[in-house]
Amino acid sequence: MSSWDDFSYDDDDELLDSGVDADFKAADENDDPVAKAMAGQALEAPEVYWDGEPMDVPVGSQLELSEENVQGVLAACRQEIGTMFGYQAENRGVGITGGVDYVDLDGPTVVVHLKGRFWHQRPTVLTRVGAYLMGRIPEIVDVVVEDEYELTDEANDAAILD
């Protein structure tokens, strides 16, 4: 189980060792959103491997289970619960660089890949993404990660070195 103490590992020296610009200074979670965004611009956003439009549909929708619908709803998920991910500079400014990618449909199970560093525990991120998808595509019975290692604290700690 991780705690907030794990972010002590996220100091500037470790970021510099990982190849981040030598002038990078991480923002504090209590900093102004503009300061966070300015700091976050030094870090790349997680890459998204789908170029379709987000499908903003309300919870309780009855979308058909298809790769396109899963990808579209996942794109909307990245925006709606965006504070969990590193797609926005403000989040990257405080060390959140995590992202979620669609991998495959295995029957009624959606397989995703978690990458980067998250502030929340990785199982929590997966649960939130799963609830978002299943709330809009009721045929989905489960959302799982490609590799169980992705749910570990070690994967989160290692992400700063990627």
Side-chain angles (χ1 to χ4, degrees):
M1 180 161 204
S2 66
S3 70
W4 290 101
D5 296 335
D6 291 345
F7 270 82
S8 64
Y9 179 76
D10 222 4
D11 65 10
D12 289 344
D13 292 338
E14 296 295 335
L15 287 171
L16 294 175
D17 291 342
S18 71
V20 173
D21 187 306
D23 295 327
F24 180 78
K25 173 83 171 111
D28 181 77
E29 66 182 272
N30 298 315
D31 284 346
D32 175 274
V34 173
K36 292 179 195 174
M38 295 281 291
Q41 289 176 0
L43 301 174
E44 289 187 32
E47 192 167 348
V48 176
Y49 301 103
W50 189 68
D51 60 358
E53 291 295 315
M55 296 180 73
D56 294 312
V57 295
V59 174
S61 296
Q62 300 289 314
L63 292 176
E64 175 183 313
L65 179 59
S66 69
E67 182 176 330
E68 185 173 329
N69 285 347
V70 171
Q71 290 270 31
V73 172
L74 185 59
C77 174
R78 290 183 190 108
Q79 293 175 349
E80 190 164 324
I81 61 173
T83 57
M84 298 188 97
F85 305 114
Y87 298 107
Q88 298 158 354
E90 183 178 335
N91 298 346
R92 292 190 307 277
V94 294
I96 301 169
T97 61
V100 60
D101 290 326
Y102 169 83
V103 174
D104 196 15
L105 271 180
D106 184 10
T109 300
V110 175
V111 182
V112 297
H113 172 67
L114 297 179
K115 60 187 179 186
R117 185 158 172 81
F118 294 93
W119 210 329
H120 297 82
Q121 291 183 340
R122 286 169 166 251
T124 301
V125 174
L126 181 63
T127 299
R128 295 275 310 272
V129 169
Y132 192 94
L133 292 172
M134 290 187 278
R136 289 150 179 85
I137 307 173
E139 292 177 64
I140 297 174
V141 297
D142 202 6
V143 177
V144 299
V145 289
E146 180 176 37
D147 180 348
E148 289 296 315
Y149 173 76
E150 297 171 34
L151 298 178
T152 66
D153 291 338
E154 291 81 20
N156 207 47
D157 293 340
I160 193 68
L161 303 175
D162 289 342

